[in-house]
Amino acid sequence: MKHFAPVLAIALALMWLLMNDTVSTGQVVLGILLALLLTFWSAKLRPLRPRLYRPQLAIGLLWTVFVDIVRSNIAVGRIILGLVGERSIRSAFLDIPLELRDPHGLAVLATIITSTPGTVWVDFDAERGLLTLHVLDLRDEEGWIRTIKEHYERPLIGIFQP
Amino acid sequence: MSGVELPLWAAVPAALLLVASGLLTVTGSLGLLRLPSFQARMHGPSMGNTLGCGCMLFASMFVSSAIVGRPVLHEFLITVFVVVTSPATAMLLMRASIYRARSKATSAGNEVVER
Amino acid sequence: MTLLDYAAWFASGCFGMAMLFATWRVIRGPAAQDRVLGLDTLYINGMLMLLALGIRSGSSFYFEIALLIALFGFVGSVALAKFLLRGEVIEP
C-alpha cells in the first residue's frame, strides 16, 4: 500500500465518469476498479511522489491564475491589434531567481507561466535556481519578477514544500 | 438548431461566450501574421488556447445541459486536457527555436547567438 | 434562426479565418518551427470549429471528435517539436 496515490485514483475515477457522462452504478464500479488498477500499475513508472502540505492554498492560486489569464489575454490582444499607440514592443528574455525547488511545484509553475499569454517558460537552471522566461512586452522587469514571485511562487511553495 | 428552442438563461450566456471565443481566437491567430519574430509569434496562439477554448467549452456546456435537461460536464475534460498539454508544446517549440538558432550560428562560424 | 444560431455562425466564421491565418503560416514558414506552430494553432482552431458545429446541430457526437483531435494533435505537435529539438523523436 506504500505506492498508493489517492489523489490520482480519485482523479482517474472522476475522469472516467465525466467521459461517460453518467453516474449509474455499473459505471461507478467500473470506474473505481479501473482507477485503482491504473494507479497501482503506474506507481512503478513514476517513483517520485508529491506531498501536498497545504492543498487549501490551491483555491486562491486558481483564482489568481484565472484573473491573470484574462488580463494578459486583453493585453496581448491589444498588442496584436496595434492598440498600444506608437511605442515599440520589446520582447526579450528575463531571468528570475526562484526559491521553489520541488519538481512538482516547478511543473505547475511552468504550466501556469506558459498558459498565460505573453510569457513562455524557456529554461530552469536547477543548480543556480534561475528561471528563464520569454516575455512578449517587457517594459517593467521588476514588476514581472514581483508578479511571478508573489502571485505564483509563494502559494506553490506553501503547497509543495513544508 | 434541430428544432429545439433553448430557454433564455442558456441561450444568452452561450451566445455571448461564443462571440467572445471567436474574437479571442481570431485575434490570437492574427498574431501569427502580424508579430515580427518567431519568439514573439509564440505568444499569439496561446490566447486561443486558453481563454478562447475556455469560453467555447463553457458555451458548449450551457447548450448541451439545456438540451438534455441535466448538467452535462464532459466538455470540462477538453478544457483540462488543452490547459495541461498546450504549454508542453509551447515549451518544446521555444527550446527548439533557441537550439536551432544556436547551432546555426556555431556552424556558420559565428559566436553563439545572444539570447 | 435564433440568437444562438447567429452567434454560432459568427464563431464558426472567426475560427475559419483563424484557420486560414494558421495555414498561411504553415505554407509561408520561414523557419521549420513556424510551420509547427502553425500546425499546432490549426488543430486547436479545428477543434473549436467542430465544437461550434456541435452547438449548431445540437448533437453530442462532435464532442468525441473534438476530444480525439485534441489528443492526436497534441501528440503530433510534440513529436514534431521534439524532432526539431534533437533530430530524433525518441532518444535511444
Side-chain angles (χ1 to χ4, degrees), chain C residues 44-67:
Chain C
I44 293 267
N45 290 338
M47 189 197 85
L48 291 175
M49 176 81 113
L50 272 175
L51 285 169
L53 277 179
I55 287 184
R56 254 156 62 192
S57 71
S59 112
S60 73
F61 287 113
Y62 290 96
F63 160 75
E64 280 150 34
I65 309 173
L67 190 63

Side-chain angles (χ1 to χ4, degrees), chain C residues 6-54:
Chain C
Y6 284 115
W9 271 106
F10 176 79
S12 307
C14 284
F15 297 143
M17 219 149 70
M19 282 170 87
L20 278 181
F21 295 157
T23 316
W24 191 83
R25 192 43 79 192
V26 173
I27 295 169
R28 182 63 202 284
Q33 56 265 33
D34 279 300
R35 296 177 209 268
V36 179
L37 183 64
L39 270 181
D40 191 62
T41 318
L42 194 62
Y43 91 76
I44 293 267
N45 290 338
M47 189 197 85
L48 291 175
M49 176 81 113
L50 272 175
L51 285 169
L53 277 179

Side-chain angles (χ1 to χ4, degrees), chain A residues 15 18-19 21 69-70 73 76-77 80-81 91 93 110-111 114-115 117-123 132 134-136, chain B residues 24 27-28 30-31 34 39-40 43-44 46-47 50-51 70 72-74 76-77 83 87 90-91 94-95 98 115:
Chain A
M15 200 179 117
L18 269 180
M19 195 118 79
D21 195 24
I69 284 182
V70 172
N73 259 292
V76 172
I80 291 174
L81 294 173
S91 52
F93 290 89
T111 311
T114 314
S115 44
T119 46
V120 174
W121 171 288
V122 180
D123 205 357
T132 310
H134 187 268
V135 184
L136 176 61
Chain B
L24 281 168
T27 316
L30 189 66
R34 288 191 53 135
Q39 281 154 5
H43 300 289
S46 68
M47 277 177 72
T50 53
L51 213 53
R70 63 183 169 81
V72 176
L73 300 176
H74 59 193
F76 191 66
L77 270 183
V83 164
M91 259 180 280
M94 197 54 155
R95 290 182 156 202
I98 289 171
R115 290 186 315 172

